[in-house]
Amino acid sequence: MTSRAGVDPSVPPSGTGCVECEAAGGWWVHLRRCTQCGHIGCCDTSPSQHATAHFQATGHPVITSFEPGEDWFWDYTTDEGFLGPVMCPATERPLDQTVPGPAERVPADWRDHVHE
Ligand SMILES: [Zn+2]
Ligand SMILES: [Zn+2]
């Protein structure tokens, strides 16, 4: 398989939660991993949509799911999903992390804050 721009399997994820949400005390629904720099960001359903914001800020074009059992990739520049390479660990968030999470920061009315 030829290498693809924005996909570097050797770069590990930045952590177990959305970088910006962790810094701001926020919460998320699902997590996405930038396949160029390893940035973990929250999905477009999440209140703050930091994965997409990371693409818009950096131009890093590809994310992969950081959710257990999901291995899809998404290219923002073409709006297309594709099958990517096996990324270095960790390839998913810790299984004891809740959805939405992290549990201690999710408000009781979280459904009113998510995007469709
Ligand atoms: Zn976030
Ligand atoms: Zn990135």
Side-chain angles (χ1 to χ4, degrees):
M1 191 176 118
T2 56
S3 64
R4 178 169 179 139
V7 181
D8 184 347
S10 72
V11 179
S14 59
T16 57
C18 171
V19 172
E20 288 83 4
C21 284
E22 293 282 25
W27 55 276
W28 55 80
V29 180
H30 294 125
L31 295 171
R32 309 297 181 225
R33 171 182 176 175
C34 172
T35 59
Q36 184 162 330
C37 74
H39 173 273
I40 296 297
C42 51
C43 70
D44 284 350
T45 305
S46 305
S48 301
Q49 305 178 323
H50 286 127
T52 296
H54 177 75
F55 158 67
Q56 290 166 344
T58 64
H60 296 170
V62 176
I63 55 170
T64 185
S65 179
F66 202 49
E67 294 299 314
E70 295 186 357
D71 56 4
W72 53 263
F73 288 64
W74 180 261
D75 188 329
Y76 284 108
T77 63
T78 60
D79 275 339
E80 280 179 336
F82 65 96
L83 291 176
V86 175
M87 303 295 287
C88 73
T91 58
E92 60 190 36
R93 62 168 171 79
L95 290 172
D96 60 1
Q97 236 167 255
T98 59
V99 177
E104 65 274 16
R105 293 205 299 264
V106 178
D109 65 344
W110 66 268
R111 284 182 180 80
D112 295 337
H113 300 279
V114 299
H115 301 268
E116 293 300 323

